Amino acid sequence: MLEQLARIARITRILALPLTAASLAAVGLAGCSTAGPDEAAIGEVDASNVLVDARSIARLAPGQRLSVDLSARGVMVHFAFDGLDFDRIDLAFGDQGSASMADAMAPLFSHPYSPLEAAGGRFVVTADPANFPALGADDIAALEQERMIAREHGSGAPRAQPQSVDDCVEQTIYFYVDIVINGTVQSVLCAHTILVCGSTTCDKQTHNEHDYLFCDGQESWNDAKASCAAQGMSLVTLDDADEEAWVYSLASAHSTQKWWMGLNDRASEGDFAWDSGAPVSYTNWYPGEPNNAGSEDCGQLNRFYPELGWNDEPCSLHLRYICESSD
Ligand code: MMA
Ligand code: CA
């Protein structure tokens, strides 16, 4: 996992940042103390910011468990996941009972934005979106619809677009994860802060020995192709339903908006070809597509989310994109 993270960081220049009091302040959360993570322990940051880390567990008597109340209004619980013994923590959800953290968080740890992936990062978990004063009603609506949003901000600066390596911005990613409480699945809002350097962040994944990048930067098809080529890759080729299902589920976990793939008929109208040069052995056009509506030469996924099925769109649109290695 750590090795995978190191590779992701190297290739995509995403750096997981500890969620410090300063970065909390930057996202406008009320009641944040300026105490550094080293001075903080459970209950010691302040009444509205509680840190749970390995040292909190070390203070427990043998056999004792730590109970963390996620239902408390106005309280943000910060989990420093590194070295945390989930088996010794109970998460309490008010009327809805409690669950061992190890059981409750199992789905979270298999989520693409798992804190285990973000080793060294720190997550904020709250059972109640109302505990996030930085989120406006529109943000919540977007979260509800997309189940994840990214907000960009720089400290003191106007809301910034990620620029170059020298001009990194902090980005707080909010997302819902499903955790299991007393056998039922409940959505919990989470946030973590990453440093985004460069205009695009890409999540690297591997499937059937091919590497894939799920890139969040919104690029024209040409620029997306060039960005893949710069990594020695092509825009994704979908060879069969199995590969499509895998790509679709990961892409949709990042964003249910549209994504570019490699299929296009730029060279000759109606003759679709993959960016990788692979033969077109499989297609899954949505009924009525490709319709070349107003000149559309580039293939994309998720136009009809949550339904599967591909669409053609104008290549000049700026969309997220997926790269794939040839081996
Ligand atoms: C949009 C655009 C097209 C697609 C149609 C389907 C109106 O155009 O996404 O590419 O074919 O929707 O209705
Ligand atoms: Ca179309």
Side-chain angles (χ1 to χ4, degrees), residues 33-83:
S33 127
T34 51
D38 286 339
E39 301 151 50
I42 183 156
E44 290 176 10
V45 179
D46 64 31
S48 58
N49 281 285
V50 170
L51 176 69
V52 178
D53 63 4
R55 296 191 320 152
S56 316
I57 304 298
R59 288 198 189 91
L60 296 174
Q64 199 183 5
R65 299 171 63 79
L66 185 67
S67 181
V68 179
D69 185 359
L70 287 182
S71 69
R73 271 299 275 246
V75 176
M76 305 285 294
V77 181
H78 309 230
F79 290 95
F81 281 89
D82 288 344

Side-chain angles (χ1 to χ4, degrees), residues 206-210 212 214 236-250 282-284 308 310 324:
T206 302
H207 182 68
N208 286 346
E209 297 177 1
H210 283 212
Y212 296 76
F214 293 83
V236 70
T237 297
L238 301 177
D239 283 317
D240 51 44
D242 166 76
E243 182 181 19
E244 180 185 11
W246 180 83
V247 164
Y248 172 81
S249 81
L250 269 166
Y282 166 81
T283 58
N284 184 21
L308 275 176
W310 310 348
E324 182 184 355

Side-chain angles (χ1 to χ4, degrees), residues 102-290:
D103 293 344
M105 304 300 260
L108 169 61
F109 295 143
S110 61
H111 188 277
Y113 288 98
S114 159
L116 299 183
E117 293 283 345
R122 222 178 263 183
F123 278 62
V124 175
V125 180
T126 172
D128 184 352
N131 286 345
F132 263 89
L135 288 183
D138 290 349
D139 298 328
I140 297 284
L143 276 165
E144 294 291 356
Q145 197 201 333
E146 184 147 335
R147 297 181 69 77
M148 183 185 85
I149 59 166
R151 292 174 129 209
E152 287 143 16
H153 62 87
S155 32
R159 287 195 184 278
Q161 292 298 320
Q163 300 292 330
S164 66
V165 176
D166 299 328
D167 189 4
C168 302
V169 295
E170 277 180 14
Q171 183 164 291
T172 303
I173 296 176
Y174 300 94
F175 56 96
Y176 279 114
V177 293
D178 295 332
I179 65 174
V180 184
I181 304 158
N182 290 347
T184 59
V185 176
Q186 233 192 54
S187 287
V188 168
L189 184 62
C190 300
H192 79 116
T193 303
I194 59 171
L195 193 62
V196 181
C197 305
S199 58
T200 295
T201 60
C202 301
D203 176 22
K204 183 164 184 256
Q205 300 284 341
T206 302
H207 182 68
N208 286 346
E209 297 177 1
H210 283 212
D211 290 337
Y212 296 76
L213 298 178
F214 293 83
C215 297
D216 274 343
Q218 312 232 11
E219 305 285 1
S220 66
W221 191 90
N222 249 345
D223 287 351
K225 171 188 163 75
S227 161
C228 296
Q231 306 285 342
M233 300 166 100
S234 303
L235 280 166
V236 70
T237 297
L238 301 177
D239 283 317
D240 51 44
D242 166 76
E243 182 181 19
E244 180 185 11
W246 180 83
V247 164
Y248 172 81
S249 81
L250 269 166
S252 300
H254 283 280
S255 171
T256 57
Q257 303 297 312
K258 299 169 190 169
W259 295 78
W260 286 132
M261 58 176 172
L263 201 58
N264 71 95
D265 66 344
R266 294 159 64 88
S268 163
E269 180 56 36
D271 295 334
F272 279 89
W274 290 108
D275 178 35
S276 64
V280 181
S281 56
Y282 166 81
T283 58
N284 184 21
W285 293 107
Y286 193 82
E289 305 295 345

Side-chain angles (χ1 to χ4, degrees), residues 258 289 291 296 303-304 311-313:
K258 299 169 190 169
E289 305 295 345
N291 61 358
E296 302 182 310
R303 161 67 182 82
F304 301 98
N311 179 37
D312 55 345
E313 291 269 349

